[in-house]
Amino acid sequence: MALLIKGARVLLPGGDIHRPPACDVLLHGDRIAAIGPALEAPPDAEIIDGASKLLIPGLVSAHYHSYDTLLKGRFEDMPFDVWALHSQPAYWGKRSREELRARTLLGAMEALRNGITTIQDMNSLVPQDEETLDIILGAYAELGIRVVFSIAVRDLPDLDIAPFLPEISPEIAAIVGGKPGDPAADLAFVAAQLKRLSPLPPRLHWALSPSGPQRSSTALLEGIAALSADHGLPVFTHVYETRAQLAKARRIYPGGSMIAHIAEVGLLTPRTTLAHAVYISPEEIAQVARAGAGVVHNPLANLKLKNGVAPVSRFKVEGVRLALGCDNNSCSDCQNLFQAMKLMCLLAAGNDPNPAGVLAEDALAAATTGGAQAVGLRAEIGAIAVGRKADLVLIDLDDLAWQPFASATRQLVFSETGRGVQTVIVDGRVVLRDGRLTTVDEAEFRAELAEVMEKVERDYAQLIARQAPAIPALLEANRRVAEAQSRGSGA
Ligand SMILES: [Zn+2]
């Protein structure tokens, strides 16, 4: 099957990033076959008129969790650990097949609608079994988005903030505590899935994820490092997302460095990407750069959960490769990289009145080539070039965000909201046409979602009541950690 996109302005690698000229792009099957002026359409080709459109590579959201998409719009003004107590799947228990499917589709549908063609879903399976995994992967395959999926594992159950809790009652300890896991069982499950689902169906890819170094034993981290080396798989893990994680790292690691610990267990490699890295030190940033590891920046979640601002201009100066993510729907409330790109540039001015060197082109690179590299698909996606996978987005330049037209890259980052995303192609297949998804009946989906939400609402009310007694202790710990850090004593 061939598809010819005629006469769109096309953002090409090395081309004019502000006023790219119009040309034609021919797709054959799942790949880009030719790029040039006035290409001949093969007889069976579908033709998409690209006049007044901008063609960009599909965006890559390199940090996301699909398990709480149904909790969009629920939470506000909550520090990280309080939010975690409400959003983490362990507190919700087993969900129905219908709910697993609906939540997986919902986040991915919104991503596609906003021009995201690849998501990295770091997913905690509850229960951790093949049935749960297969329902989630099945929903992704049905929708047609590209997914780099990792089974999130942890064997240390404590909340990150646990060491800083005030004296707590057994009742509250029961709420915030958990049972330690078995690293050997976790590693065996992950290894078994890599073997059972090999190769994965088209558009699905594997990655590996210890949830966070401080949530994982050395045995678990070393086991993940070995799987990554054996299978050549990318690794994503949460690092220095919160002040409490920083304080805990100073306490539990020799020398106090989470980055040194990751290096010691064999996980600081070019295949590894660290989510957040808000509280990473200048020395640690240099170490990450030397190792060829990367960072996935999540400005929406970092702000919503009161974690602060990652040192993005420093990452750029040190040459750390950067990707962008939208993170959970329960803390960013959207799957929209236009918001993340804009914040990436604007936050650089948060406390520095001087030029920071974080430009629209850096944000767009993080959302395309940077993301592609992070998810291990550097040669396949992230750019419009002959031979690459046909993951493409057509943006409507007649939209008011683009009037008058001055710069493709700056208006993508500073003006576009997602409203102009008109057509989205993944693996050569049109999955969004003129703003409508082609692989899902959206009205039918809304009806299914409404049914699923009846139980979610009941469970949500119970969960809120069950967790409430622990909140004062968590807020007190949060206050202590922040106060100690502002005094410079590190907690
Ligand atoms: Zn995350």
Side-chain angles (χ1 to χ4, degrees), residues 282-300:
E283 298 73 34
E284 289 173 318
I285 293 173
Q287 188 181 0
V288 169
R290 281 197 304 276
V295 167
V296 52
H297 181 41
N298 296 280
L300 291 162

Side-chain angles (χ1 to χ4, degrees), residues 63-65 67 80 83 122 238 241 275-276 298 327-328:
H63 188 61
Y64 167 62
H65 313 270
Y67 48 70
F80 176 90
W83 161 82
M122 184 195 290
H238 296 101
E241 180 174 1
H276 302 285
N298 296 280
D327 215 344
N328 307 63

Side-chain angles (χ1 to χ4, degrees), residues 40 52 59 139 158 162 170 187 202 208 223 250 260 287 347 380 418 474 486:
E40 192 81 16
S52 301
L59 304 177
D158 278 358
L187 291 165
L208 299 164
R250 295 293 181 263
Q287 188 181 0
L347 280 174
E380 292 281 73
L474 289 170
S486 68

